[in-house]
Amino acid sequence: MKITAIAPANIAFIKYWGKRDAALRLPANASFSMNLSESYTTTTVDFSDQYREDEVIFLDDTITGSERKRITSHLDRIRDIAKISTRAKVVTKNSFPKGTGVASSASGFAALTVAASNAAGLSLSERELTILARIGSGSACRSIPDGFVVWDKGISSDSSTAHSIARPDYWDLRDVLCIVDTSMKKITTSEGHESVESSPLWKSRLESVDVRMSRILEAFEKKDFNRFGETLEEDSDSMHTVMQTQTPPLYYWRETTVMVMKAVRQWRVDGLAVYYTIDAGPNVHVLCESHSENLVKKKLSELTGIERIISNAPAKGAHIVTDHLF
Ligand code: DP6
């Protein structure tokens, strides 16, 4: 059966960095994110006897051998559950153009999980889909439920699941994403997670992250944007100081990254409620409420060095669509 799914990328306000179990991708801490409206992956999967082996095609992009292996291993997991041995054709494309540096593993594995499990004849619950997506790529589990999502640390694979805490229309936030560099990362996030313990600051991040989680959830409930923003910015800084002090060090920031961070801080001093967060790359996600979106975009467009600005609203999670890619 041929099934197509769309899944959004997500931006974490409290980050997932470090695992308790690498194979199962059990996180060292709980995390919290928002699905992004303009950054998503579409994937069509067809299981059929006509395919002698799995065929994986990225439209508008090339695929490395290790990426292909990660995808076919995920298909194997789904075949095991569905008790089938049929090979599949997978065709996938991202809404964000090639090389924009937007992480595609979250949206990619979420879309693959929903499309492939349904195409294999399974009808998994949302909870089960989050477990399966998590084993593909940790952050992918947060792209399954709608809107604003918490991924619980859990005590086992079955309890480390993601769930929505609010629908996309709960709070009209904007993630104004500044693309500052489109080159590929040299070290994958999976490799980065593995050496997290080499940072002397890792322990102190773990000791403080749960406090930030409680604080941000409280601010989210009250829609207290300043407290919300202060906390997400602090968590991003915390993750990057760990990354930068790991061996080998992961220094994702470019000159333009630092310039945007400084500008955001200055605009705050000038009275504009705006905060930044950064994932495993040089691009800066600038968070504001929708009433400030145009002003924030204008101010960002006056800075030099930003290649592109993509403004994202909160979005629903992974879902099936009827238009196929092949
Ligand atoms: C920095 O989900 O890409 O974006 O589980 O190894 O696939 P794997 O890692 P991945 O890690 C993403 C980490 C992050 C922070 C976050 O999204 O929470």
Side-chain angles (χ1 to χ4, degrees):
M1 211 199 315
K2 191 189 281 186
I3 298 282
T4 300
I6 290 185
N10 66 73
I11 180 65
F13 302 134
I14 299 294
K15 310 286 191 188
Y16 150 54
W17 194 245
K19 300 173 196 176
R20 282 173 297 143
D21 183 318
L24 288 172
R25 290 190 156 81
L26 294 177
N29 60 274
S31 55
F32 172 36
S33 63
M34 175 181 110
N35 289 331
L36 304 180
S37 61
E38 306 309 310
S39 313
Y40 53 89
T41 301
T42 308
T43 299
T44 300
V45 178
D46 181 29
F47 284 99
S48 162
D49 290 333
Q50 64 177 301
Y51 309 119
R52 304 205 138 219
E53 52 186 58
D54 292 327
E55 215 180 303
V56 182
I57 299 164
F58 279 26
L59 300 176
D60 324 317
D61 209 345
T62 50
I63 174 172
T64 64
S66 57
E67 283 168 338
R68 184 182 303 275
K69 179 78 193 72
R70 218 169 142 182
I71 291 168
T72 55
S73 300
H74 205 56
L75 292 172
D76 286 341
R77 267 174 218 127
I78 290 164
R79 277 188 283 256
D80 276 357
I81 302 171
K83 298 188 174 47
I84 57 169
S85 56
T86 330
R87 302 291 108 181
K89 178 171 177 179
V90 177
V91 177
T92 189
K93 84 169 196 252
N94 293 327
S95 69
F96 33 96
K98 182 180 173 187
T100 48
V102 176
S104 58
S105 77
S107 54
F109 276 94
L112 179 67
T113 302
V114 171
S117 61
N118 281 281
L122 296 168
S123 48
L124 301 178
S125 66
E126 181 179 276
R127 195 183 142 272
E128 290 168 325
L129 288 168
T130 71
I131 295 170
L132 197 49
R134 188 204 74 223
I135 299 172
S137 175
S139 54
C141 71
R142 297 189 311 238
S143 289
I144 300 277
D146 285 339
F148 297 90
V149 178
V150 168
W151 170 15
D152 291 323
K153 179 176 158 182
I155 50 164
S156 61
S157 186
D158 275 359
S159 55
S160 187
T161 58
H163 60 276
S164 176
I165 61 160
R167 299 203 39 84
D169 61 4
Y170 169 74
W171 198 0
D172 214 7
L173 296 180
R174 290 291 177 271
D175 171 5
V176 185
L177 171 58
C178 303
I179 308 291
V180 307
D181 189 321
T182 56
S183 55
M184 288 290 287
K185 291 183 268 203
K186 285 191 197 69
I187 300 179
T188 65
T189 42
S190 297
E191 287 163 337
H193 281 285
E194 273 165 38
S195 54
V196 72
E197 283 169 27
S198 62
S199 164
L201 303 176
W202 162 237
K203 266 186 119 179
S204 75
R205 166 165 170 77
L206 273 192
E207 279 160 18
S208 58
V209 68
D210 291 346
V211 175
R212 280 193 295 280
M213 185 65 147
S214 312
R215 204 201 300 152
I216 205 164
L217 291 178
E218 201 184 299
F220 183 74
E221 206 186 318
K222 292 183 184 149
K223 295 189 184 165
D224 178 344
F225 185 68
N226 286 323
R227 195 151 170 78
F228 180 79
E230 275 161 25
T231 313
L232 69 89
E233 197 170 286
E234 195 180 306
D235 196 68
S236 173
D237 289 346
S238 151
M239 179 180 76
H240 282 272
T241 36
V242 170
M243 288 169 156
Q244 288 161 12
T245 51
Q246 288 181 210
T247 309
L250 297 171
Y251 204 92
Y252 291 109
W253 301 347
R254 304 278 185 277
E255 246 176 73
T256 314
T257 313
V258 178
M259 181 195 67
V260 176
M261 292 162 78
K262 283 184 177 165
V264 165
R265 287 178 173 224
Q266 182 56 47
W267 297 338
R268 252 187 353 249
V269 173
D270 301 341
L272 182 62
V274 65
Y275 296 85
Y276 66 76
T277 183
I278 301 165
D279 273 346
N283 304 319
V284 189
H285 296 254
V286 179
L287 271 295
C288 63
E289 290 183 283
S290 60
H291 58 80
S292 314
E293 178 185 2
N294 287 339
L295 180 57
V296 169
K297 283 197 329 206
K298 182 172 172 289
K299 284 175 150 322
L300 287 168
S301 67
E302 286 162 0
L303 301 176
T304 46
I306 298 174
E307 292 187 13
R308 198 170 159 189
I309 294 172
I310 304 171
S311 190
N312 292 279
K316 66 176 179 176
H319 54 280
I320 290 173
V321 293
T322 49
D323 284 346
H324 301 305
L325 292 179
F326 68 93

